[in-house]
Coordinates of all heavy atoms in Angstrom, one line a residue:
S13 N 3.8 -1.0 2.8 CA 2.6 -0.3 2.5 C 2.5 1.0 3.2 O 1.8 1.8 2.8 CB 1.3 -1.2 3.1 OG 1.4 -1.2 4.6
G14 N 3.5 1.2 4.1 CA 3.6 2.6 4.8 C 2.8 2.7 6.0 O 2.8 3.8 6.7
F15 N 2.2 1.5 6.5 CA 1.4 1.6 7.7 C 2.3 1.6 9.0 O 2.0 2.2 10.0 CB 0.4 0.5 7.8 CG -0.9 0.8 7.0 CD1 -1.1 -0.2 6.0 CD2 -1.7 1.8 7.3 CE1 -2.2 0.0 5.2 CE2 -2.7 2.1 6.5 CZ -3.0 1.2 5.4
I16 N 3.5 1.0 8.9 CA 4.3 1.0 10.1 C 5.4 2.1 10.0 O 5.5 2.8 11.1 CB 5.2 -0.4 10.1 CG1 4.1 -1.6 10.4 CG2 6.2 -0.4 11.1 CD1 4.7 -2.9 10.5
R17 N 6.0 2.4 9.0 CA 6.9 3.5 8.8 C 6.5 4.3 7.7 O 6.3 3.7 6.5 CB 8.3 3.0 8.6 CG 8.9 2.3 9.8 CD 10.4 1.8 9.6 NE 11.2 3.2 9.6 CZ 12.4 3.1 9.4 NH1 13.1 2.0 9.3 NH2 13.1 4.3 9.3
N18 N 6.4 5.6 7.7 CA 6.2 6.3 6.6 C 7.3 6.3 5.6 O 8.4 6.1 6.0 CB 5.6 7.7 7.0 CG 6.6 8.5 7.7 OD1 7.9 8.1 7.9 ND2 6.4 9.8 8.1
F19 N 7.0 6.7 4.3 CA 8.1 6.5 3.3 C 9.2 7.5 3.4 O 10.3 7.3 3.0 CB 7.4 6.8 2.0 CG 6.3 5.7 1.7 CD1 5.0 6.0 1.5 CD2 6.7 4.5 1.6 CE1 4.0 5.1 1.3 CE2 5.6 3.4 1.4 CZ 4.3 3.7 1.2
Q20 N 8.9 8.7 4.1 CA 10.0 9.6 4.3 C 11.0 9.2 5.3 O 12.2 9.6 5.3 CB 9.4 11.0 4.8 CG 8.6 11.7 3.8 CD 7.2 11.1 3.7 OE1 6.6 10.5 4.6 NE2 6.6 11.4 2.4
S21 N 10.7 8.3 6.2 CA 11.6 7.7 7.2 C 12.3 6.5 6.8 O 13.3 6.0 7.5 CB 10.9 7.5 8.5 OG 10.0 6.3 8.5
L22 N 12.1 6.0 5.6 CA 12.8 4.8 5.1 C 14.1 5.2 4.5 O 14.3 6.3 4.2 CB 11.9 4.1 4.0 CG 10.7 3.4 4.4 CD1 10.0 2.9 3.1 CD2 11.1 2.2 5.3
H23 N 15.1 4.3 4.4 CA 16.4 4.7 3.8 C 16.0 4.8 2.3 O 15.1 4.2 1.7 CB 17.2 3.3 3.9 CG 18.5 3.5 3.5 ND1 19.0 3.3 2.1 CD2 19.7 3.8 4.2 CE1 20.2 3.6 2.0 NE2 20.7 3.8 3.2
P24 N 16.8 5.7 1.6 CA 16.5 6.2 0.3 C 16.4 5.0 -0.7 O 15.5 5.0 -1.6 CB 17.6 7.1 -0.1 CG 18.2 7.6 1.2 CD 17.8 6.5 2.2
I25 N 17.1 3.9 -0.5 CA 17.1 2.8 -1.4 C 15.7 2.0 -1.3 O 15.0 1.7 -2.2 CB 18.2 1.8 -1.1 CG1 19.5 2.5 -1.4 CG2 18.0 0.5 -1.9 CD1 20.8 1.6 -1.1
F26 N 15.2 1.9 -0.1 CA 14.0 1.3 0.2 C 12.7 2.2 -0.2 O 11.8 1.6 -0.7 CB 13.8 0.9 1.6 CG 14.7 -0.2 2.1 CD1 15.6 0.0 3.2 CD2 14.8 -1.4 1.5 CE1 16.5 -1.0 3.6 CE2 15.7 -2.4 1.8 CZ 16.5 -2.2 2.9
E27 N 13.0 3.5 -0.1 CA 11.9 4.4 -0.7 C 11.7 4.3 -2.1 O 10.7 4.1 -2.7 CB 12.3 5.9 -0.3 CG 11.2 6.9 -0.6 CD 11.6 8.2 -0.2 OE1 12.6 8.5 0.4 OE2 10.7 9.1 -0.5
L28 N 12.9 4.0 -2.8 CA 12.8 3.9 -4.3 C 12.2 2.6 -4.6 O 11.5 2.5 -5.5 CB 14.3 4.0 -4.9 CG 14.8 5.5 -5.0 CD1 16.2 5.4 -5.5 CD2 14.0 6.4 -5.9
L29 N 12.6 1.5 -4.0 CA 12.0 0.2 -4.1 C 10.5 0.2 -3.9 O 9.7 -0.7 -4.6 CB 12.8 -0.9 -3.3 CG 14.1 -1.2 -3.7 CD1 14.8 -2.2 -2.7 CD2 14.2 -1.8 -5.1
S30 N 10.1 0.9 -3.0 CA 8.6 1.0 -2.7 C 7.7 1.5 -3.8 O 6.6 1.2 -3.8 CB 8.4 1.8 -1.4 OG 8.4 3.2 -1.7
Y31 N 8.3 2.2 -4.8 CA 7.6 2.6 -6.0 C 7.2 1.5 -6.7 O 6.2 1.6 -7.6 CB 8.3 3.6 -6.7 CG 8.4 5.0 -6.1 CD1 9.5 5.5 -5.5 CD2 7.2 5.8 -6.1 CE1 9.5 6.7 -5.0 CE2 7.2 7.1 -5.6 CZ 8.4 7.5 -4.9 OH 8.4 8.7 -4.3
G32 N 7.9 0.3 -6.7 CA 7.6 -0.9 -7.5 C 6.6 -1.9 -6.8 O 6.2 -2.8 -7.2
S33 N 6.3 -1.5 -5.5 CA 5.5 -2.4 -4.7 C 4.0 -1.9 -4.8 O 3.6 -0.8 -4.6 CB 5.9 -2.3 -3.2 OG 5.0 -2.9 -2.4
M34 N 3.2 -2.9 -5.1 CA 1.7 -2.6 -5.1 C 1.1 -2.4 -3.8 O 0.0 -1.6 -3.7 CB 1.0 -3.7 -5.8 CG 0.8 -5.0 -5.0 SD -0.3 -6.0 -6.0 CE 0.7 -7.4 -6.1
H35 N 1.8 -2.8 -2.7 CA 1.4 -2.5 -1.3 C 1.4 -1.0 -1.1 O 0.6 -0.6 -0.3 CB 2.2 -3.2 -0.3 CG 2.1 -4.7 -0.5 ND1 3.1 -5.4 -1.3 CD2 1.2 -5.7 -0.3 CE1 2.7 -6.7 -1.3 NE2 1.6 -6.8 -0.7
R36 N 2.3 -0.3 -1.6 CA 2.4 1.1 -1.4 C 1.1 1.8 -1.8 O 0.5 2.6 -1.2 CB 3.5 1.7 -2.1 CG 3.7 3.3 -1.9 CD 4.9 3.8 -2.9 NE 4.9 5.2 -2.8 CZ 5.8 6.0 -2.2 NH1 6.9 5.4 -2.0 NH2 5.7 7.3 -2.3
Y37 N 0.7 1.5 -3.0 CA -0.5 2.1 -3.7 C -1.7 1.7 -3.1 O -2.6 2.4 -2.8 CB -0.4 1.9 -5.2 CG 0.8 2.3 -5.8 CD1 1.8 1.5 -6.2 CD2 1.0 3.7 -5.9 CE1 3.0 1.9 -6.8 CE2 2.2 4.2 -6.5 CZ 3.2 3.3 -6.9 OH 4.4 3.7 -7.4
A38 N -1.8 0.3 -2.7 CA -3.0 -0.1 -2.1 C -3.2 0.6 -0.7 O -4.3 0.9 -0.2 CB -2.9 -1.6 -1.8
G39 N -2.0 0.7 0.2 CA -2.1 1.2 1.5 C -2.5 2.7 1.4 O -3.3 3.2 2.2
S40 N -2.0 3.5 0.4 CA -2.4 4.8 0.2 C -3.8 5.1 -0.1 O -4.4 6.0 0.3 CB -1.5 5.4 -0.9 OG -1.8 6.7 -1.2
V41 N -4.2 4.1 -1.0 CA -5.7 4.3 -1.5 C -6.7 4.0 -0.2 O -7.6 4.6 0.0 CB -6.1 3.4 -2.6 CG1 -7.6 3.3 -2.9 CG2 -5.5 4.0 -3.9
L42 N -6.4 3.0 0.5 CA -7.2 2.6 1.7 C -7.0 3.7 2.7 O -8.2 4.0 3.4 CB -6.7 1.2 2.3 CG -7.0 0.0 1.5 CD1 -6.3 -1.2 2.1 CD2 -8.4 -0.2 1.4
A43 N -5.9 4.2 3.0 CA -5.8 5.2 4.1 C -6.6 6.5 3.5 O -7.3 7.1 4.4 CB -4.3 5.5 4.3
A44 N -6.5 6.9 2.3 CA -7.1 8.1 1.9 C -8.6 7.9 1.9 O -9.3 8.8 2.3 CB -6.8 8.4 0.4
N45 N -9.2 6.7 1.7 CA -10.5 6.4 1.7 C -11.1 6.4 3.2 O -12.1 6.9 3.3 CB -10.8 5.1 1.0 CG -12.3 4.8 0.7 OD1 -13.0 5.7 0.4 ND2 -12.6 3.6 1.1
E46 N -10.2 6.0 4.1 CA -10.7 5.7 5.4 C -10.6 7.1 6.2 O -11.5 7.5 7.0 CB -9.9 4.7 6.0 CG -10.5 4.3 7.4 CD -11.8 3.5 7.3 OE1 -11.9 2.9 6.3 OE2 -12.6 3.7 8.2
F47 N -9.6 7.9 5.9 CA -9.3 9.0 6.8 C -9.7 10.4 6.2 O -9.6 11.4 6.8 CB -7.8 9.1 7.2 CG -7.4 8.0 8.1 CD1 -6.8 6.9 7.6 CD2 -7.8 8.1 9.5 CE1 -6.4 5.9 8.6 CE2 -7.5 7.1 10.4 CZ -6.8 6.0 10.0
S48 N -10.2 10.5 5.0 CA -10.6 11.6 4.4 C -11.9 12.1 5.0 O -12.9 11.3 5.2 CB -10.9 11.5 2.8 OG -9.8 11.1 2.1
N49 N -12.1 13.4 5.4 CA -13.2 14.0 6.0 C -13.6 13.3 7.3 O -14.8 13.1 7.6 CB -14.3 14.1 5.0 CG -14.0 14.8 3.9 OD1 -13.3 15.9 3.9 ND2 -14.4 14.3 2.6
L50 N -12.6 12.9 8.1 CA -12.9 12.2 9.3 C -12.5 13.0 10.4 O -11.5 13.7 10.5 CB -12.1 10.8 9.4 CG -12.3 10.0 10.7 CD1 -13.6 9.3 10.7 CD2 -11.2 8.9 10.7
T51 N -13.4 13.2 11.5 CA -13.2 13.9 12.7 C -13.0 13.0 13.8 O -13.8 12.1 14.1 CB -14.3 14.9 12.9 OG1 -14.5 15.8 11.8 CG2 -14.0 15.7 14.2
L52 N -11.8 13.0 14.4 CA -11.5 12.2 15.6 C -11.8 12.8 16.9 O -11.5 13.9 17.0 CB -10.0 11.8 15.5 CG -9.6 11.1 14.2 CD1 -8.1 11.1 14.1 CD2 -10.2 9.8 14.0
T53 N -12.5 12.1 17.8 CA -12.8 12.7 19.0 C -12.2 12.0 20.2 O -12.1 10.7 20.2 CB -14.4 12.7 19.2 OG1 -14.8 11.3 19.2 CG2 -15.1 13.6 18.3
C54 N -11.8 12.7 21.1 CA -11.2 12.1 22.4 C -11.8 12.6 23.6 O -12.2 13.8 23.6 CB -9.6 12.3 22.4 SG -8.8 11.7 21.0
S55 N -11.8 11.9 24.7 CA -12.2 12.4 25.9 C -11.2 13.3 26.6 O -10.0 13.3 26.0 CB -12.6 11.2 26.9 OG -11.6 10.4 27.1
A56 N -11.5 13.8 27.6 CA -10.4 14.7 28.4 C -9.2 13.9 29.1 O -8.3 14.5 29.1 CB -11.2 15.4 29.5
E57 N -9.5 12.7 29.2 CA -8.4 11.9 29.9 C -7.4 11.3 28.9 O -6.3 11.0 29.0 CB -8.9 10.7 30.7 CG -10.0 11.0 31.7 CD -11.4 11.0 31.2 OE1 -11.8 10.3 30.4 OE2 -12.1 11.9 31.7
E58 N -7.8 11.2 27.5 CA -7.1 10.8 26.5 C -6.3 11.9 25.8 O -6.8 13.0 25.7 CB -8.0 9.9 25.5 CG -8.7 8.8 26.1 CD -9.6 8.2 25.1 OE1 -10.1 8.8 24.1 OE2 -10.0 7.1 25.2
Y59 N -5.1 11.5 25.3 CA -4.3 12.3 24.5 C -4.6 12.0 23.1 O -4.6 10.8 22.6 CB -2.8 12.1 24.8 CG -1.8 12.8 23.7 CD1 -1.8 14.2 23.7 CD2 -1.2 12.1 22.8 CE1 -1.0 14.8 22.9 CE2 -0.3 12.6 22.0 CZ -0.3 14.2 22.0 OH 0.6 14.7 21.0
C60 N -4.9 12.9 22.3 CA -5.0 12.8 20.8 C -4.0 13.4 20.0 O -3.8 14.6 20.1 CB -6.4 13.5 20.4 SG -7.9 12.6 20.7
M61 N -3.3 12.6 19.3 CA -2.3 13.1 18.4 C -2.9 13.8 17.1 O -2.3 14.8 16.7 CB -1.3 11.9 18.0 CG -0.2 12.4 17.2 SD 1.0 11.0 17.1 CE 2.4 11.8 16.3
Y62 N -4.0 13.2 16.8 CA -4.6 13.9 15.6 C -6.2 14.1 15.9 O -6.7 13.2 16.6 CB -4.4 13.0 14.5 CG -3.1 12.5 14.0 CD1 -2.7 11.3 14.3 CD2 -2.3 13.5 13.4 CE1 -1.4 10.9 13.9 CE2 -1.1 13.1 13.0 CZ -0.5 12.0 13.2 OH 0.7 11.6 12.9
T63 N -6.6 15.3 15.5 CA -8.1 15.6 15.6 C -8.9 15.3 14.4 O -10.0 15.4 14.4 CB -8.3 16.9 16.3 OG1 -7.7 17.8 15.4 CG2 -7.6 17.0 17.8
E64 N -8.1 15.4 13.3 CA -8.7 15.2 11.9 C -8.0 14.2 11.1 O -6.7 14.1 11.3 CB -8.8 16.6 11.3 CG -9.5 17.7 12.1 CD -10.3 18.5 11.2 OE1 -10.2 18.4 9.9 OE2 -11.1 19.3 11.7
G65 N -8.7 13.5 10.3 CA -8.2 12.5 9.4 C -7.2 13.1 8.4 O -6.2 12.5 8.1
E66 N -7.4 14.4 8.0 CA -6.4 15.0 7.1 C -5.0 15.1 7.8 O -4.0 15.1 7.1 CB -7.0 16.2 6.5 CG -7.9 16.2 5.4 CD -9.3 15.7 5.9 OE1 -9.6 15.9 7.1 OE2 -10.1 15.2 5.1
E67 N -5.1 15.4 9.1 CA -3.8 15.6 9.7 C -2.9 14.3 9.7 O -1.7 14.3 9.5 CB -4.0 16.0 11.2 CG -4.5 17.4 11.3 CD -4.8 17.7 12.8 OE1 -4.5 16.9 13.7 OE2 -5.4 18.8 13.0
Y68 N -3.7 13.2 9.9 CA -3.0 11.8 9.9 C -2.5 11.6 8.4 O -1.4 11.1 8.2 CB -3.9 10.8 10.3 CG -3.4 9.4 10.2 CD1 -2.4 8.8 11.0 CD2 -3.8 8.6 9.1 CE1 -1.9 7.7 10.8 CE2 -3.2 7.3 9.0 CZ -2.3 6.8 9.8 OH -1.8 5.6 9.6
L69 N -3.4 11.8 7.5 CA -3.0 11.6 6.1 C -1.7 12.4 5.7 O -0.8 11.9 5.0 CB -4.1 11.8 5.2 CG -5.2 10.8 5.0 CD1 -6.3 11.4 4.1 CD2 -4.7 9.5 4.5
N70 N -1.7 13.6 6.1 CA -0.7 14.5 5.7 C 0.7 14.2 6.4 O 1.8 14.3 5.8 CB -1.0 16.0 5.9 CG -2.0 16.5 5.1 OD1 -2.1 16.1 4.0 ND2 -2.7 17.4 5.6
S71 N 0.6 13.5 7.5 CA 1.8 13.2 8.2 C 2.3 11.7 7.8 O 3.5 11.4 7.8 CB 1.7 13.2 9.7 OG 0.8 12.1 10.1
T72 N 1.6 10.8 7.4 CA 1.9 9.3 7.1 C 1.8 9.1 5.6 O 2.6 8.4 4.9 CB 1.0 8.4 7.8 OG1 -0.4 8.7 7.5 CG2 1.3 8.5 9.3
F73 N 0.8 9.7 4.8 CA 0.7 9.5 3.5 C 0.5 10.8 2.8 O -0.6 11.1 2.2 CB -0.6 8.5 3.1 CG -0.4 7.1 3.6 CD1 -1.1 6.8 4.9 CD2 0.2 6.1 3.0 CE1 -1.0 5.5 5.4 CE2 0.3 4.9 3.3 CZ -0.3 4.5 4.7
P74 N 1.5 11.6 2.6 CA 1.3 12.9 2.0 C 0.8 12.8 0.6 O 1.4 12.1 -0.2 CB 2.6 13.6 2.1 CG 3.6 12.5 2.6 CD 2.9 11.3 3.1
G75 N -0.2 13.6 0.3 CA -0.7 13.5 -1.1 C -1.7 12.5 -1.5 O -2.1 12.3 -2.7
A76 N -2.0 11.6 -0.5 CA -2.8 10.4 -0.8 C -4.1 10.7 -1.1 O -4.7 10.2 -2.0 CB -2.9 9.5 0.5
D77 N -4.8 11.8 -0.6 CA -6.1 12.1 -1.0 C -6.3 12.8 -2.3 O -7.1 12.5 -3.0 CB -6.7 13.2 0.1 CG -8.0 13.3 0.1 OD1 -8.7 12.3 -0.3 OD2 -8.6 14.3 0.5
Q78 N -5.2 13.5 -2.9 CA -5.1 14.0 -4.1 C -4.9 13.0 -5.2 O -5.2 13.3 -6.3 CB -4.1 15.2 -4.2 CG -4.5 16.5 -3.4 CD -4.0 16.2 -1.9 OE1 -3.2 15.4 -1.6 NE2 -4.6 17.1 -1.2
H79 N -4.2 11.9 -4.8 CA -3.7 10.9 -5.8 C -4.5 9.7 -5.6 O -4.0 8.5 -6.2 CB -2.3 10.6 -5.6 CG -1.4 11.8 -5.7 ND1 -1.2 12.5 -6.9 CD2 -0.7 12.5 -4.9 CE1 -0.4 13.4 -6.8 NE2 -0.1 13.5 -5.5
K80 N -5.8 9.6 -5.2 CA -6.5 8.4 -5.0 C -6.8 7.7 -6.4 O -6.6 6.5 -6.6 CB -7.8 8.6 -4.4 CG -7.8 8.5 -3.0 CD -9.3 8.4 -2.4 CE -9.9 9.8 -2.3 NZ -11.2 9.8 -1.6
G81 N -7.2 8.5 -7.4 CA -7.5 8.0 -8.8 C -6.2 7.4 -9.4 O -6.2 6.4 -10.0
E82 N -5.2 8.2 -9.3 CA -3.8 7.6 -9.9 C -3.5 6.4 -9.2 O -3.0 5.5 -9.9 CB -2.9 8.9 -9.7 CG -1.4 8.5 -10.2 CD -0.5 9.7 -9.9 OE1 -0.9 10.8 -9.8 OE2 0.7 9.3 -9.6
N83 N -3.4 6.4 -7.9 CA -2.9 5.1 -7.1 C -3.8 3.9 -7.6 O -3.4 2.8 -7.7 CB -2.9 5.4 -5.8 CG -1.8 6.2 -5.4 OD1 -0.9 6.5 -6.0 ND2 -1.9 6.9 -4.2

Side-chain angles (χ1 to χ4, degrees):
S13 67
F15 282 118
I16 293 179
R17 291 184 70 176
N18 61 0
F19 299 117
Q20 292 79 21
S21 68
L22 289 176
H23 191 275
I25 292 172
F26 294 122
E27 185 179 357
L28 287 173
L29 288 175
S30 73
Y31 284 107
S33 169
M34 74 174 122
H35 300 99
R36 174 188 179 115
Y37 302 106
S40 179
V41 168
L42 289 173
N45 188 42
E46 192 66 30
F47 291 102
S48 298
N49 302 320
L50 180 70
T51 302
L52 305 169
T53 57
C54 297
S55 65
E57 303 88 36
E58 296 175 337
Y59 170 72
C60 281
M61 187 168 185
Y62 304 106
T63 57
E64 301 215 356
E66 279 80 16
E67 293 174 8
Y68 173 75
L69 280 176
N70 291 332
S71 67
T72 55
F73 295 96
D77 200 26
Q78 293 83 16
H79 301 291
K80 268 194 283 193
E82 179 183 322
N83 290 340

